[in-house]
């Protein structure tokens, strides 16, 4: 009986939306060379984007984007809101996972030469998506308004201000003035919650449309060219398993390594700032290019890297896709990824062997742990609990 009602409802929706045809088109997508685990990255990215949207909406119900209350609202989410720590953890680790999977997806596409044969626009949309994902990470980093977030963002915006000609104006636009204030937080929050999601959603839609137009590139060799399989059931199964593994990994990270939150930002302190790991290569490179030479890692190298990536399909017109027969491309990919990982480890190593830095970073880490273990305390302003902290943060 229930099955019959669901079938009638489905038929009713189909008459008005064509949902059956849309579903059939999605599931019947032909895959040249057959289903492969190498093709799961796109579905994982879509899943992670969905996680960010859903958790972000719930977090924004409690978050207060002002310098006075941002930190308290995050603290309240972490300590008081039911499942708040889970939501914040999934959002935090989901953002990190998006960076990793997006880089892996782009690297695989590059290595397999899948940007060739009328896929120039598809590749370009992917490069732009990576830039937006990195912008998500940068704008979201400030929102907790703790010491690490405040001083890390201050360093990041200072680097942006070093770019010749446009740097000073760019820095003022980002900050909403000359220093990090509520205006800065409001701009980062608006960009993070409204502008970037709209841009990424539009690019995801364009990317999927272009992908369906171009059809899957298939394996880089030609021995399986005649083998064609539909997306459902084999590739759908592989994608589902990969998504479940990814979700399980996120839950494990949230449970066994809760997202940190340190003391509220104090602009007068001498906090030793360190960027998140995905910006660590740039941070390390700045040590080798002091003064006016800082333009090389802050502007020249990123512009050359992403410019080359974006234009790659237009100057690499050879039909050859096999990695071993494209030694220069393979070597460049290895250099960029291996070099970035090496710079991250080098930065960490130098902090460990520098007595002054090591001691200060250790002290900051201990202060963060002490604060993180404290129970939530409503804000006290002018001798009384702030309305935002006492009402919204204790009676929800």
């Amino acid at each position: 009986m229930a099955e019959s009602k669901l079938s009638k409802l489905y038929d009713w929706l189909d008459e008005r939306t064509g949902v059956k045809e849309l579903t059939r088109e999605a599931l019947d997508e032909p895959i040249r060379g057959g289903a492969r685990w190498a093709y799961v990255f796109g579905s994982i990215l879509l899943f992670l984007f969905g996680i960010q949207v859903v958790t972000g909406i719930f977090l924004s119900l409690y978050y207060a984007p002002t310098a006075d209350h941002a930190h308290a609202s995050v603290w309240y989410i972490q300590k008081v809101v039911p499942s708040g720590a889970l939501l914040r953890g999934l959002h935090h680790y989901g953002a990190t996972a998006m960076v990793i999977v997006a880089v892996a997806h782009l690297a695989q596409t590059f290595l397999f030469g899948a940007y060739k044969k009328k896929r120039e626009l598809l590749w370009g949309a992917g490069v732009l998506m990576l830039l937006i994902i990195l912008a998500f990470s940068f704008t979201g980093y400030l929102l907790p308004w703790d010491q690490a977030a405040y001083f890390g963002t201050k360093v990041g915006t200072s680097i942006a201000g070093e770019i010749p000609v446009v740097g000073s104006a760019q820095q003022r636009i980002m900050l909403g003035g000359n220093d990090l204030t509520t205006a800065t937080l409001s701009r980062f929050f608006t960009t993070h919650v409204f502008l970037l999601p709209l841009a990424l959603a539009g690019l995801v839609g364009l990317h999927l449309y272009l992908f369906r137009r171009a059809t899957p590139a298939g394996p880089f060799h030609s021995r399986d060219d005649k083998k064609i399989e539909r997306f459902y059931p084999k590739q759908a199964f592989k994608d589902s398993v990969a998504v479940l593994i990814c979700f399980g990994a996120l839950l494990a990270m949230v449970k066994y390594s809760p997202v940190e939150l340190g003391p509220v930002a104090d602009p007068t302190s001498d906090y030793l700032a360190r960027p998140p790991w995905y910006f660590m290569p740039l941070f390390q490179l700045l040590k080798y290019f002091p003064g006016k030479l800082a333009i090389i890692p802050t502007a020249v190298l990123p512009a050359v890297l992403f410019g080359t990536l974006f234009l790659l399909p237009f100057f690499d017109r050879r039909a050859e896709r096999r990695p071993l027969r494209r030694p220069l491309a393979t070597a460049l990919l290895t250099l960029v990824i291996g070099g970035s990982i090496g710079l991250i480890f080098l930065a960490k190593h130098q902090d460990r062997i520098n007595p002054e830095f090591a001691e200060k970073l250790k002290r900051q880490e201990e202060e963060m742990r002490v604060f993180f273990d404290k129970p939530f305390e409503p804000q006290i302003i002018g001798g009384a609990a702030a309305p935002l902290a006492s009402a919204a943060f204790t009676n929800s």
Side-chain angles (χ1 to χ4, degrees):
M1 190 67 156
E3 242 180 81
S4 175
K5 287 183 178 179
L6 285 174
S7 178
K8 287 180 180 179
L9 177 61
Y10 190 49
D11 290 339
W12 184 86
L13 283 172
D14 180 55
E15 288 176 0
R16 289 154 180 80
T17 63
V19 65
K20 288 183 180 179
E21 181 63 27
L22 291 173
T23 304
R24 191 179 304 113
E25 285 185 11
L27 297 180
D28 287 349
E29 176 189 341
I31 300 176
R32 186 167 67 85
R36 279 174 163 74
W37 290 106
Y39 300 159
V40 302
F41 291 112
S43 293
I44 294 176
L45 273 173
L46 260 178
F47 166 74
L48 290 171
F49 182 43
I51 284 282
Q52 294 306 99
V53 171
V54 172
T55 56
I57 289 171
F58 280 105
L59 291 173
S60 68
L61 296 176
Y62 294 93
Y63 182 73
T66 67
D68 290 338
H69 301 302
H71 183 268
S73 65
V74 176
W75 193 8
Y76 179 76
I77 290 169
Q78 185 72 33
K79 294 290 185 177
V80 181
V81 174
S83 301
L86 172 64
L87 290 171
R88 182 170 174 247
L90 286 174
H91 196 76
H92 173 85
Y93 286 118
T96 300
M98 278 193 78
V99 174
I100 295 171
V101 176
V103 170
H105 190 29
L106 206 68
Q108 179 211 41
T109 304
F110 176 84
L111 190 64
F112 290 177
Y115 54 84
K116 303 185 179 188
K117 297 181 180 179
K118 300 181 181 179
R119 289 181 173 79
E120 299 92 343
L121 296 179
L122 179 63
W123 170 261
V127 174
L128 290 176
M129 286 168 65
L130 176 59
L131 284 170
I132 289 178
I133 289 170
L134 290 172
F136 260 119
S137 299
F138 180 67
T139 53
Y141 191 67
L142 175 66
L143 302 187
W145 201 254
D146 61 0
Q147 290 280 70
Y150 180 91
F151 285 96
T153 303
K154 191 166 188 177
V155 171
T157 53
S158 297
I159 292 172
E162 295 296 324
I163 298 174
V165 184
V166 299
S168 179
Q170 177 178 262
Q171 186 180 22
R172 284 198 302 274
I173 292 171
M174 293 171 71
L175 295 176
N178 297 316
D179 207 350
L180 269 72
T181 61
T182 292
T184 313
L185 193 58
S186 178
R187 293 188 179 205
F188 274 57
F189 178 75
T190 301
T191 302
H192 188 77
V193 173
F194 297 108
L195 302 183
L196 292 177
L198 284 174
L200 188 56
L203 277 173
V204 166
L206 175 63
H207 193 73
L208 290 173
Y209 170 76
L210 293 172
F211 179 76
R212 296 304 296 267
R213 287 280 298 177
T215 71
F220 56 81
H221 51 73
S222 58
R223 61 177 177 266
D224 291 333
D225 275 356
K226 294 181 180 179
K227 182 180 179 182
I228 301 292
E229 290 183 346
R230 300 295 171 179
F231 177 79
Y232 182 85
K234 289 186 178 180
Q235 191 62 50
F237 172 75
K238 293 179 187 294
D239 285 13
S240 300
V241 171
V243 164
L244 283 173
I245 291 173
C246 177
F247 188 51
L250 292 179
L251 290 175
M253 291 294 292
V254 173
K255 179 176 176 59
Y256 296 108
S257 182
V259 182
E260 298 174 348
L261 180 67
V264 65
D266 177 9
T268 63
S269 72
D270 60 345
Y271 188 87
L272 186 59
R274 288 295 179 266
W277 66 268
Y278 32 83
F279 292 126
M280 195 65 79
L282 174 60
F283 170 78
Q284 183 63 19
L285 282 174
L286 282 168
K287 298 177 183 178
Y288 309 127
F289 297 92
K292 294 182 178 180
L293 292 178
I295 186 178
I296 295 175
T298 57
V300 176
L301 288 180
V304 169
L305 175 61
F306 282 98
T308 302
L309 283 175
F310 193 81
L311 297 173
L312 179 66
F314 298 99
F315 58 75
D316 182 9
R317 310 296 296 179
R318 295 185 308 147
E320 182 60 64
R321 292 178 51 202
R322 284 169 286 193
L324 294 180
R325 295 194 179 181
R326 297 161 52 232
L328 180 59
T330 304
L332 285 174
L333 178 66
T334 305
L335 177 64
V336 171
I337 294 182
S340 298
I341 294 173
L343 287 170
I344 292 172
F345 280 100
L346 184 59
K348 298 284 188 182
H349 174 69
Q350 288 183 351
D351 277 342
R352 281 196 301 270
I353 64 174
N354 185 307
E356 182 183 354
F357 288 174
E359 180 61 31
K360 193 167 183 60
L361 290 169
K362 183 179 179 181
R363 189 164 61 249
Q364 290 174 180
E365 184 75 15
E366 183 58 33
E367 288 172 358
M368 187 280 298
R369 287 201 195 95
V370 169
F371 176 84
F372 189 76
D373 290 338
K374 290 169 58 178
F376 173 74
E377 298 173 3
Q379 290 175 291
I380 304 298
I381 298 177
L388 186 61
S390 60
F393 289 172
T394 57
N395 297 325
S396 295

